[in-house]
Amino acid sequence: MGKIKKRLKNFKAPDALLLICILMAMVSILTYLIPAGEYTRFLDPETGKEMVDPNSFHYIENTPVGPWKVLSSVHQGLVESAGITSFLFIIGGAFGVLNSTGALEALISRTATRLKGKEKLVVIFFVTLWALGGAFLGNFEECLAFLPMQITLCLALGFDSITGVVIGICGVAVGYIGGVMNPFTLGISQQIAQLPPYSGIGFRLVLWLATLTVTIVYIYRYADKIHKNPQLSLSYEVDKASKYREEISSNIEFSIRHKLVLISFVLAVIGIVYGVIVFQFYLGEMAAVFILLTIVMACISDKPVNETVNAFVNGAADLLYPCLCVGFARGLTIIMMEGHILDVIVHSLTGVLGKLPSIVSAPLSFIVISIINLFVPSGSGKAVIVMPILVPMADVLGITRQTVALAYHMGDGITNLLSPAEATIMVALGLMKISYGKWIKWFWKLVLLWYLIGIIACIIAVNIGFGPF
């Protein structure tokens, strides 16, 4: 018994990249064991989106994914995820140039001095900021651009890199759980359910506020514990040698050049937000803004061109590991699609809901959607698969369509930070340099709190007939 305890104590969870590889092998085996099946898909003339016929599920001849296809899916995954990985490289390069100007170090020095004794206000500010972005703009990947700065700031204030990351990714997750006016999950799910756009906003605002409060308290308490005793951090050893750790000096001059660099950065952020709202900017357009920002910062800093180029390359190199995780995670999804087991999983899970009373099936649909999200992390992509199945089922069970849309966006929001197939959490783990196991150790209590809030929200929605229909 003692030996078992010792082994468990010394057990180290697999690295995120290794975990994805293990899952790829497991899913490949499942394609041999699970019967293949699919729904018939068609193009909706009104929305132009590919939709699923909920009554069309049928089994097909098995299409098992062998070892060779598993190996080639890695390359295919890297190719298909090129959009987000190239965006991440450009972000890394831009922050490399920002760091080389000394402006960030000067800002952090000034901030650390002024926040003396009030350091934990950073938690409240950033979590709320990103929760607003996720709820109203559908921000998610965008927060990745700011994680290096947040890590640097939190390390300087006496916290750890985990705090620097979670004030961003947990914030956007709160935004997605609450929904409010999220154009990607809420907007598309309501469109498919033929609900008035953004109807039921009052209920979702209360849900958003409750989730935000719980999340801030959870992170605040953790940050306070680390501030008092840094050795309690799961990333303590890594943070000691972190490249994001800046030695804070009160003697750093906050020069005109520093201020101009930071002003250009703020203007770039405003430009991205404006572009997302007005012109529907996505990764390509946002990347263009960061490239322009890099050029402007280089001109302001007046550093030698070669030095600026080296700073950009080194900054991009820092995100190589997270980008590899993104590509491998996409490969995992490809294996499930090639093996035609994704629709089988959806069909099996949603089939259970149809046999239960509405008071049970509503909160359970929220949990089922969370499970499906582990395999289909894309919010809009999952909507066109799941919502056409859930809507007619809800009509039969007497659950309002608004409740189904609620269950959908809550389930999507929570497991965005659990799924190894989700790019954002893989990038975050790469930046924190902690294993997936350590991440779950930090995250599991907050996840349970989120699920509890979600289940209560679904039960209330059923009882009040959350509508309009």
XYZ file of all heavy atoms in Angstrom, residues 117-165:
372
model
N 0.187 46.956 -2.380
C -0.860 46.708 -1.391
C -2.234 46.484 -1.989
O -3.168 46.093 -1.289
N -2.389 46.731 -3.296
C -3.686 46.544 -3.964
C -3.518 45.674 -5.212
O -4.261 45.819 -6.183
C -4.279 47.898 -4.335
C -4.548 48.813 -3.143
C -5.075 50.155 -3.560
C -3.984 51.014 -4.207
N -4.444 52.379 -4.523
N -2.526 44.781 -5.183
C -2.172 43.994 -6.370
C -3.331 43.155 -6.912
O -3.454 42.962 -8.123
C -0.990 43.053 -6.051
C 0.318 43.762 -5.733
C 0.470 44.089 -4.259
O -0.523 43.931 -3.520
O 1.571 44.500 -3.844
N -4.189 42.665 -6.032
C -5.230 41.726 -6.458
C -6.354 42.402 -7.235
O -7.241 41.729 -7.771
C -5.766 40.966 -5.247
C -4.727 39.991 -4.674
C -5.252 39.224 -3.486
C -5.297 40.073 -2.237
N -3.980 40.510 -1.767
N -6.322 43.743 -7.322
C -7.283 44.438 -8.183
C -7.102 44.037 -9.646
O -8.038 44.137 -10.447
C -7.122 45.960 -8.040
C -7.578 46.579 -6.710
C -7.266 48.070 -6.705
C -9.065 46.342 -6.494
N -5.890 43.585 -9.985
C -5.602 43.119 -11.345
C -6.531 41.965 -11.713
O -7.009 41.861 -12.847
C -4.120 42.676 -11.467
C -3.869 41.925 -12.756
C -3.208 43.886 -11.379
N -6.796 41.086 -10.745
C -7.673 39.942 -10.991
C -9.068 40.403 -11.371
O -9.641 39.973 -12.380
C -7.736 39.029 -9.741
C -8.799 37.946 -9.912
C -6.379 38.409 -9.462
N -9.630 41.303 -10.573
C -10.993 41.791 -10.817
C -11.077 42.488 -12.173
O -12.015 42.256 -12.952
C -11.426 42.748 -9.692
C -11.426 42.015 -8.349
C -12.796 43.347 -9.980
C -11.657 42.909 -7.151
N -10.075 43.316 -12.474
C -10.102 44.093 -13.716
C -10.063 43.190 -14.944
O -10.915 43.288 -15.838
C -8.925 45.075 -13.740
C -8.778 45.783 -15.062
C -9.615 46.838 -15.395
C -7.804 45.390 -15.982
C -9.492 47.492 -16.613
C -7.674 46.038 -17.200
C -8.529 47.089 -17.518
N -9.081 42.288 -15.023
C -8.908 41.491 -16.235
C -10.004 40.444 -16.420
O -10.463 40.220 -17.544
C -7.526 40.826 -16.253
C -6.434 41.720 -16.729
C -5.526 42.261 -15.829
C -6.317 42.050 -18.069
C -4.512 43.104 -16.267
C -5.310 42.891 -18.515
C -4.395 43.419 -17.621
N -10.431 39.796 -15.342
C -11.500 38.803 -15.479
C -12.776 39.472 -15.983
O -13.445 38.965 -16.892
C -11.764 38.070 -14.142
C -12.954 37.118 -14.293
C -10.543 37.277 -13.711
N -13.101 40.630 -15.421
C -14.302 41.353 -15.857
C -14.170 41.827 -17.294
O -15.119 41.718 -18.088
C -14.571 42.561 -14.932
O -14.666 42.114 -13.577
C -15.859 43.272 -15.322
N -12.995 42.341 -17.638
C -12.763 42.834 -18.999
C -12.987 41.725 -20.032
O -13.723 41.909 -21.018
C -11.323 43.364 -19.117
C -10.881 43.809 -20.515
C -11.621 45.065 -20.932
C -9.367 44.042 -20.551
N -12.387 40.559 -19.804
C -12.507 39.463 -20.769
C -13.893 38.839 -20.722
O -14.390 38.329 -21.745
C -11.427 38.424 -20.524
C -10.077 38.893 -20.971
C -8.971 39.112 -20.203
C -9.696 39.234 -22.305
N -7.934 39.561 -20.970
C -8.347 39.647 -22.272
C -10.358 39.224 -23.536
C -7.660 40.041 -23.411
C -9.685 39.629 -24.671
C -8.345 40.031 -24.603
N -14.545 38.858 -19.568
C -15.916 38.337 -19.482
C -16.870 39.195 -20.312
O -17.802 38.682 -20.944
C -16.373 38.291 -18.031
N -16.622 40.490 -20.316
C -17.413 41.391 -21.161
C -17.150 41.118 -22.644
O -18.078 41.070 -23.456
C -17.091 42.853 -20.825
C -17.634 43.384 -19.494
C -16.992 44.728 -19.158
C -19.149 43.524 -19.556
N -15.874 40.937 -22.985
C -15.513 40.656 -24.368
C -16.133 39.363 -24.880
O -16.633 39.301 -26.010
N -16.107 38.307 -24.041
C -16.688 37.031 -24.448
C -18.200 37.098 -24.556
O -18.799 36.519 -25.457
N -18.838 37.840 -23.657
C -20.300 37.903 -23.611
C -20.899 38.747 -24.727
O -21.962 38.416 -25.263
C -20.755 38.449 -22.254
N -20.225 39.833 -25.096
C -20.815 40.769 -26.049
C -20.152 40.736 -27.432
O -20.801 41.069 -28.422
C -20.760 42.197 -25.487
C -21.665 42.407 -24.315
C -21.212 42.214 -23.020
C -22.987 42.771 -24.498
C -22.050 42.391 -21.925
C -23.844 42.959 -23.414
C -23.373 42.762 -22.122
N -18.894 40.356 -27.514
C -18.185 40.369 -28.795
C -17.809 38.968 -29.281
O -17.390 38.812 -30.420
C -16.902 41.214 -28.684
C -17.081 42.673 -28.261
C -15.725 43.340 -28.096
C -17.935 43.422 -29.278
N -17.936 37.976 -28.398
C -17.520 36.631 -28.779
C -16.014 36.478 -28.791
O -15.473 35.594 -29.465
N -15.304 37.319 -28.046
C -13.846 37.187 -27.956
C -13.477 35.847 -27.336
O -14.057 35.447 -26.342
C -13.254 38.300 -27.083
C -13.346 39.674 -27.713
O -13.407 40.678 -27.029
N -13.356 39.732 -29.033
N -12.507 35.189 -27.897
C -11.953 33.987 -27.266
C -10.477 33.897 -27.617
O -9.608 34.141 -26.792
C -12.701 32.713 -27.676
C -12.586 31.640 -26.633
C -13.512 31.558 -25.616
C -11.544 30.735 -26.640
C -13.412 30.590 -24.620
C -11.421 29.774 -25.663
C -12.360 29.698 -24.649
N -10.186 33.585 -28.896
C -8.791 33.503 -29.315
C -8.064 34.828 -29.116
O -6.848 34.850 -28.919
C -8.685 33.089 -30.788
C -9.115 31.663 -31.075
C -10.585 31.565 -31.414
O -11.324 32.561 -31.178
O -11.007 30.502 -31.898
N -8.831 35.933 -29.164
C -8.211 37.253 -29.034
C -7.448 37.405 -27.723
O -6.461 38.139 -27.658
C -9.279 38.351 -29.142
C -9.900 38.509 -30.517
C -11.055 37.551 -30.761
O -11.232 36.605 -29.975
O -11.783 37.755 -31.745
N -7.906 36.736 -26.672
C -7.245 36.905 -25.373
C -5.828 36.342 -25.394
O -4.989 36.724 -24.580
C -8.056 36.255 -24.258
S -7.828 34.490 -24.070
N -5.540 35.432 -26.342
C -4.203 34.839 -26.420
C -3.136 35.905 -26.651
O -2.003 35.780 -26.187
C -4.142 33.803 -27.555
C -5.059 32.585 -27.412
C -4.959 31.721 -28.653
C -4.713 31.788 -26.169
N -3.526 36.960 -27.378
C -2.565 38.012 -27.712
C -2.056 38.737 -26.465
O -0.960 39.309 -26.479
C -3.206 39.025 -28.659
N -2.841 38.702 -25.393
C -2.501 39.485 -24.208
C -1.972 38.642 -23.055
O -1.586 39.184 -22.018
C -3.736 40.284 -23.763
C -4.270 41.178 -24.837
C -5.264 40.730 -25.696
C -3.760 42.445 -25.030
C -5.752 41.535 -26.713
C -4.231 43.257 -26.038
C -5.230 42.803 -26.886
N -1.954 37.321 -23.231
C -1.489 36.462 -22.151
C -0.030 36.716 -21.764
O 0.289 36.739 -20.568
C -1.703 34.991 -22.502
C -3.165 34.537 -22.629
C -3.237 33.026 -22.824
C -3.993 34.954 -21.425
N 0.896 36.900 -22.724
C 2.282 37.190 -22.309
C 2.395 38.424 -21.423
O 3.132 38.426 -20.425
C 3.015 37.383 -23.642
C 2.229 36.594 -24.630
C 0.801 36.757 -24.195
N 1.657 39.483 -21.775
C 1.695 40.712 -20.978
C 1.097 40.455 -19.589
O 1.634 40.922 -18.574
C 0.917 41.818 -21.679
C 0.876 43.133 -20.901
S -0.192 44.367 -21.655
C -1.806 43.653 -21.393
N -0.009 39.700 -19.535
C -0.653 39.423 -18.255
C 0.237 38.549 -17.358
O 0.294 38.761 -16.145
C -2.004 38.734 -18.490
C -3.041 39.670 -19.105
C -4.318 38.963 -19.528
O -5.112 39.504 -20.282
N -4.520 37.751 -19.071
N 0.934 37.591 -17.960
C 1.855 36.748 -17.185
C 2.981 37.602 -16.606
O 3.327 37.495 -15.425
C 2.442 35.622 -18.055
C 1.343 34.628 -18.456
C 3.557 34.874 -17.312
C 1.797 33.596 -19.469
N 3.555 38.451 -17.450
C 4.643 39.321 -17.005
C 4.196 40.209 -15.851
O 4.906 40.355 -14.840
C 5.141 40.202 -18.166
O 5.513 39.371 -19.263
C 6.343 41.038 -17.759
N 3.012 40.792 -15.986
C 2.483 41.680 -14.940
C 2.246 40.914 -13.643
O 2.626 41.375 -12.559
C 1.189 42.332 -15.424
C 0.470 43.267 -14.433
C 1.381 44.422 -14.043
C -0.831 43.787 -15.027
N 1.635 39.743 -13.749
C 1.315 38.968 -12.539
C 2.577 38.473 -11.829
O 2.643 38.481 -10.597
C 0.403 37.792 -12.891
S -1.305 38.301 -13.198
N 3.590 38.061 -12.581
C 4.846 37.648 -11.958
C 5.497 38.830 -11.240
O 6.060 38.688 -10.149
C 5.801 37.068 -13.007
C 5.432 35.688 -13.572
C 6.410 35.288 -14.681
C 5.430 34.623 -12.477
N 5.399 40.004 -11.856
C 5.990 41.194 -11.249
C 5.261 41.605 -9.968
O 5.867 42.159 -9.052
C 5.966 42.353 -12.244
N 3.965 41.288 -9.906
C 3.172 41.674 -8.741
C 3.193 40.630 -7.628
O 2.527 40.790 -6.606
C 1.719 41.941 -9.166
C 1.500 43.163 -10.068
C 0.052 43.226 -10.527
C 1.889 44.448 -9.353
N 3.943 39.539 -7.850
C 4.060 38.526 -6.807
C 3.119 37.356 -6.946
O 2.986 36.552 -6.016
N 2.438 37.231 -8.099
C 1.584 36.087 -8.352
C 2.365 35.062 -9.174
O 3.589 35.078 -9.175
C 0.297 36.522 -9.069
C -0.454 37.604 -8.339
C -0.832 38.766 -8.986
C -0.778 37.451 -7.008
C -1.523 39.769 -8.320
C -1.471 38.444 -6.316
C -1.840 39.609 -6.976
N 1.663 34.190 -9.909
C 2.354 33.220 -10.764
C 1.812 33.295 -12.186
O 0.875 34.042 -12.477
C 2.219 31.802 -10.193
C 0.766 31.346 -10.071
O -0.129 32.141 -10.407
O 0.534 30.198 -9.651
N 2.423 32.489 -13.079
C 2.009 32.524 -14.478
C 0.596 31.977 -14.653
O -0.117 32.374 -15.580
C 2.987 31.721 -15.343
O 3.088 30.385 -14.899
N 0.183 31.071 -13.763
C -1.184 30.539 -13.845
C -2.189 31.670 -13.660
O -3.163 31.782 -14.410
C -1.400 29.439 -12.784
C -0.526 28.220 -13.110
C -2.870 29.033 -12.709
C -0.599 27.106 -12.089
N -1.938 32.545 -12.686
C -2.828 33.686 -12.475
C -2.887 34.559 -13.716
O -3.965 35.003 -14.136
C -2.354 34.531 -11.272
O -2.226 33.698 -10.125
C -3.332 35.657 -10.972
N -1.715 34.792 -14.331
C -1.664 35.632 -15.526
C -2.477 35.079 -16.668
O -3.056 35.834 -17.468
N -2.550 33.757 -16.775
C -3.305 33.124 -17.856
C -4.787 33.035 -17.524
O -5.641 33.364 -18.359
C -2.736 31.714 -18.158
C -3.669 30.939 -19.081
C -1.362 31.829 -18.805
